[in-house]
mmCIF file of all heavy atoms in Angstrom:
data_model
loop_
_atom_site.group_PDB
_atom_site.id
_atom_site.type_symbol
_atom_site.label_atom_id
_atom_site.label_comp_id
_atom_site.label_asym_id
_atom_site.label_seq_id
_atom_site.Cartn_x
_atom_site.Cartn_y
_atom_site.Cartn_z
ATOM 1 N N PRO A 68 122.505 2.723 36.859
ATOM 2 C CA PRO A 68 122.673 1.270 36.765
ATOM 3 C C PRO A 68 121.798 0.648 35.677
ATOM 4 O O PRO A 68 120.652 1.049 35.470
ATOM 5 C CB PRO A 68 122.226 0.761 38.141
ATOM 6 C CG PRO A 68 122.220 1.964 39.028
ATOM 7 C CD PRO A 68 121.958 3.136 38.138
ATOM 8 N N ILE A 71 120.970 -6.486 34.465
ATOM 9 C CA ILE A 71 120.628 -7.535 33.504
ATOM 10 C C ILE A 71 120.369 -8.816 34.291
ATOM 11 O O ILE A 71 121.301 -9.465 34.759
ATOM 12 C CB ILE A 71 121.746 -7.750 32.479
ATOM 13 C CG1 ILE A 71 122.053 -6.441 31.752
ATOM 14 C CG2 ILE A 71 121.378 -8.859 31.501
ATOM 15 C CD1 ILE A 71 123.356 -6.461 30.967
ATOM 16 N N ALA A 76 124.023 -17.717 32.807
ATOM 17 C CA ALA A 76 125.119 -16.845 32.374
ATOM 18 C C ALA A 76 125.116 -16.619 30.869
ATOM 19 O O ALA A 76 125.490 -15.538 30.400
ATOM 20 C CB ALA A 76 126.459 -17.418 32.817
ATOM 21 N N ALA A 79 122.827 -13.711 30.018
ATOM 22 C CA ALA A 79 123.438 -12.468 30.510
ATOM 23 C C ALA A 79 124.617 -12.065 29.632
ATOM 24 O O ALA A 79 124.789 -10.890 29.302
ATOM 25 C CB ALA A 79 123.882 -12.644 31.961
ATOM 26 N N ASP A 80 125.410 -13.052 29.224
ATOM 27 C CA ASP A 80 126.569 -12.778 28.374
ATOM 28 C C ASP A 80 126.165 -12.239 27.002
ATOM 29 O O ASP A 80 126.859 -11.391 26.437
ATOM 30 C CB ASP A 80 127.422 -14.034 28.196
ATOM 31 C CG ASP A 80 128.155 -14.431 29.472
ATOM 32 O OD1 ASP A 80 128.274 -13.583 30.386
ATOM 33 O OD2 ASP A 80 128.594 -15.593 29.547
ATOM 34 N N TRP A 83 125.453 -8.599 27.508
ATOM 35 C CA TRP A 83 126.695 -7.892 27.785
ATOM 36 C C TRP A 83 127.531 -7.743 26.515
ATOM 37 O O TRP A 83 128.148 -6.704 26.283
ATOM 38 C CB TRP A 83 127.481 -8.569 28.889
ATOM 39 C CG TRP A 83 128.835 -7.946 29.076
ATOM 40 C CD1 TRP A 83 130.031 -8.565 28.995
ATOM 41 C CD2 TRP A 83 129.119 -6.564 29.342
ATOM 42 N NE1 TRP A 83 131.051 -7.656 29.184
ATOM 43 C CE2 TRP A 83 130.515 -6.418 29.403
ATOM 44 C CE3 TRP A 83 128.339 -5.433 29.515
ATOM 45 C CZ2 TRP A 83 131.150 -5.203 29.649
ATOM 46 C CZ3 TRP A 83 128.964 -4.206 29.753
ATOM 47 C CH2 TRP A 83 130.340 -4.100 29.820
ATOM 48 N N GLN A 88 130.372 -3.519 23.076
ATOM 49 C CA GLN A 88 130.818 -2.821 21.872
ATOM 50 C C GLN A 88 130.632 -1.307 21.996
ATOM 51 O O GLN A 88 131.154 -0.554 21.186
ATOM 52 C CB GLN A 88 130.059 -3.346 20.663
ATOM 53 C CG GLN A 88 130.298 -4.819 20.416
ATOM 54 C CD GLN A 88 129.361 -5.394 19.377
ATOM 55 O OE1 GLN A 88 128.753 -4.662 18.603
ATOM 56 N NE2 GLN A 88 129.245 -6.708 19.347
ATOM 57 N N LYS A 94 130.367 4.689 29.468
ATOM 58 C CA LYS A 94 131.186 5.576 30.305
ATOM 59 C C LYS A 94 130.679 7.014 30.226
ATOM 60 O O LYS A 94 130.540 7.688 31.248
ATOM 61 C CB LYS A 94 132.649 5.502 29.872
ATOM 62 C CG LYS A 94 133.570 6.304 30.730
ATOM 63 C CD LYS A 94 135.005 6.190 30.257
ATOM 64 C CE LYS A 94 135.877 7.083 31.101
ATOM 65 N NZ LYS A 94 137.129 7.391 30.451
ATOM 66 N N ARG A 96 127.820 8.116 29.761
ATOM 67 C CA ARG A 96 126.507 8.258 30.405
ATOM 68 C C ARG A 96 126.520 7.846 31.874
ATOM 69 O O ARG A 96 125.483 7.683 32.486
ATOM 70 C CB ARG A 96 125.474 7.457 29.620
ATOM 71 C CG ARG A 96 125.200 8.074 28.262
ATOM 72 C CD ARG A 96 124.487 7.132 27.319
ATOM 73 N NE ARG A 96 124.242 7.778 26.031
ATOM 74 C CZ ARG A 96 125.146 7.853 25.048
ATOM 75 N NH1 ARG A 96 126.347 7.323 25.191
ATOM 76 N NH2 ARG A 96 124.847 8.458 23.916
ATOM 77 N N ARG A 106 124.461 -15.199 40.795
ATOM 78 C CA ARG A 106 125.382 -14.295 41.480
ATOM 79 C C ARG A 106 125.340 -12.941 40.772
ATOM 80 O O ARG A 106 124.758 -12.805 39.702
ATOM 81 C CB ARG A 106 126.787 -14.856 41.503
ATOM 82 C CG ARG A 106 127.395 -14.953 40.128
ATOM 83 C CD ARG A 106 128.764 -15.539 40.165
ATOM 84 N NE ARG A 106 129.458 -15.162 38.946
ATOM 85 C CZ ARG A 106 130.512 -15.775 38.504
ATOM 86 N NH1 ARG A 106 131.014 -16.786 39.179
ATOM 87 N NH2 ARG A 106 131.094 -15.387 37.397
ATOM 88 N N PRO A 113 131.882 1.208 38.655
ATOM 89 C CA PRO A 113 131.969 0.853 40.071
ATOM 90 C C PRO A 113 130.588 0.508 40.634
ATOM 91 O O PRO A 113 129.595 1.129 40.275
ATOM 92 C CB PRO A 113 132.504 2.131 40.718
ATOM 93 C CG PRO A 113 131.971 3.222 39.846
ATOM 94 C CD PRO A 113 131.955 2.655 38.437
ATOM 95 N N ASP A 117 128.698 -5.624 48.162
ATOM 96 C CA ASP A 117 127.889 -6.462 49.046
ATOM 97 C C ASP A 117 126.509 -6.801 48.478
ATOM 98 O O ASP A 117 125.590 -7.114 49.220
ATOM 99 C CB ASP A 117 127.741 -5.788 50.409
ATOM 100 C CG ASP A 117 127.049 -4.431 50.312
ATOM 101 O OD1 ASP A 117 126.944 -3.883 49.194
ATOM 102 O OD2 ASP A 117 126.627 -3.910 51.364
ATOM 103 N N SER A 119 123.644 -9.002 46.634
ATOM 104 C CA SER A 119 123.340 -10.419 46.443
ATOM 105 C C SER A 119 122.324 -10.561 45.319
ATOM 106 O O SER A 119 121.436 -9.714 45.149
ATOM 107 C CB SER A 119 122.794 -11.044 47.727
ATOM 108 O OG SER A 119 121.436 -10.704 47.925
ATOM 109 N N ARG A 124 116.997 -9.604 43.081
ATOM 110 C CA ARG A 124 115.803 -10.206 42.475
ATOM 111 C C ARG A 124 114.560 -9.897 43.311
ATOM 112 O O ARG A 124 113.511 -9.578 42.760
ATOM 113 C CB ARG A 124 115.975 -11.716 42.332
ATOM 114 C CG ARG A 124 116.876 -12.095 41.197
ATOM 115 C CD ARG A 124 116.928 -13.601 40.990
ATOM 116 N NE ARG A 124 117.809 -13.919 39.890
ATOM 117 C CZ ARG A 124 117.495 -13.789 38.613
ATOM 118 N NH1 ARG A 124 116.313 -13.360 38.276
ATOM 119 N NH2 ARG A 124 118.366 -14.087 37.668
ATOM 120 N N VAL A 129 112.049 -9.798 40.255
ATOM 121 C CA VAL A 129 112.386 -10.533 39.036
ATOM 122 C C VAL A 129 112.616 -12.001 39.413
ATOM 123 O O VAL A 129 113.590 -12.314 40.093
ATOM 124 C CB VAL A 129 113.651 -9.964 38.355
ATOM 125 C CG1 VAL A 129 113.973 -10.737 37.088
ATOM 126 C CG2 VAL A 129 113.481 -8.481 38.053
ATOM 127 N N GLU A 135 115.314 -10.149 32.204
ATOM 128 C CA GLU A 135 114.801 -8.787 32.296
ATOM 129 C C GLU A 135 115.973 -7.841 32.485
ATOM 130 O O GLU A 135 116.850 -8.089 33.304
ATOM 131 C CB GLU A 135 113.858 -8.685 33.499
ATOM 132 C CG GLU A 135 112.889 -7.552 33.461
ATOM 133 C CD GLU A 135 111.801 -7.726 34.509
ATOM 134 O OE1 GLU A 135 110.857 -8.492 34.275
ATOM 135 O OE2 GLU A 135 111.915 -7.075 35.570
ATOM 136 N N SER A 136 115.995 -6.763 31.709
ATOM 137 C CA SER A 136 116.983 -5.698 31.906
ATOM 138 C C SER A 136 116.238 -4.476 32.407
ATOM 139 O O SER A 136 115.206 -4.097 31.849
ATOM 140 C CB SER A 136 117.689 -5.358 30.591
ATOM 141 O OG SER A 136 118.501 -6.427 30.179
ATOM 142 N N ILE A 139 117.999 2.015 35.597
ATOM 143 C CA ILE A 139 117.717 2.855 36.757
ATOM 144 C C ILE A 139 118.372 4.217 36.517
ATOM 145 O O ILE A 139 119.533 4.285 36.122
ATOM 146 C CB ILE A 139 118.303 2.231 38.055
ATOM 147 C CG1 ILE A 139 117.868 0.775 38.214
ATOM 148 C CG2 ILE A 139 117.944 3.076 39.275
ATOM 149 C CD1 ILE A 139 116.417 0.551 38.418
ATOM 150 N N ARG A 150 112.354 -7.164 28.227
ATOM 151 C CA ARG A 150 112.258 -8.606 28.482
ATOM 152 C C ARG A 150 113.033 -9.418 27.453
ATOM 153 O O ARG A 150 112.985 -10.641 27.454
ATOM 154 C CB ARG A 150 110.794 -9.040 28.508
ATOM 155 C CG ARG A 150 110.019 -8.436 29.664
ATOM 156 C CD ARG A 150 109.876 -9.424 30.788
ATOM 157 N NE ARG A 150 109.439 -8.829 32.032
ATOM 158 C CZ ARG A 150 108.186 -8.658 32.396
ATOM 159 N NH1 ARG A 150 107.216 -9.027 31.598
ATOM 160 N NH2 ARG A 150 107.902 -8.128 33.568
ATOM 161 N N MET A 165 116.710 11.945 29.164
ATOM 162 C CA MET A 165 116.487 12.301 30.568
ATOM 163 C C MET A 165 116.964 13.731 30.821
ATOM 164 O O MET A 165 118.018 14.132 30.327
ATOM 165 C CB MET A 165 117.237 11.342 31.495
ATOM 166 C CG MET A 165 116.763 9.929 31.440
ATOM 167 S SD MET A 165 117.812 8.874 32.495
ATOM 168 C CE MET A 165 117.170 7.268 32.062
ATOM 169 N N PRO A 166 116.202 14.501 31.588
ATOM 170 C CA PRO A 166 116.585 15.899 31.848
ATOM 171 C C PRO A 166 117.987 16.043 32.456
ATOM 172 O O PRO A 166 118.737 16.941 32.062
ATOM 173 C CB PRO A 166 115.516 16.398 32.818
ATOM 174 C CG PRO A 166 114.334 15.526 32.544
ATOM 175 C CD PRO A 166 114.889 14.185 32.159
#
Side-chain angles (χ1 to χ4, degrees):
I71 303 166
D80 290 343
W83 173 238
Q88 298 170 18
K94 184 180 177 200
R96 291 164 180 83
R106 66 181 201 199
D117 61 345
S119 78
R124 284 185 180 283
V129 180
E135 201 167 280
S136 292
I139 308 295
R150 295 260 166 88
M165 295 176 187

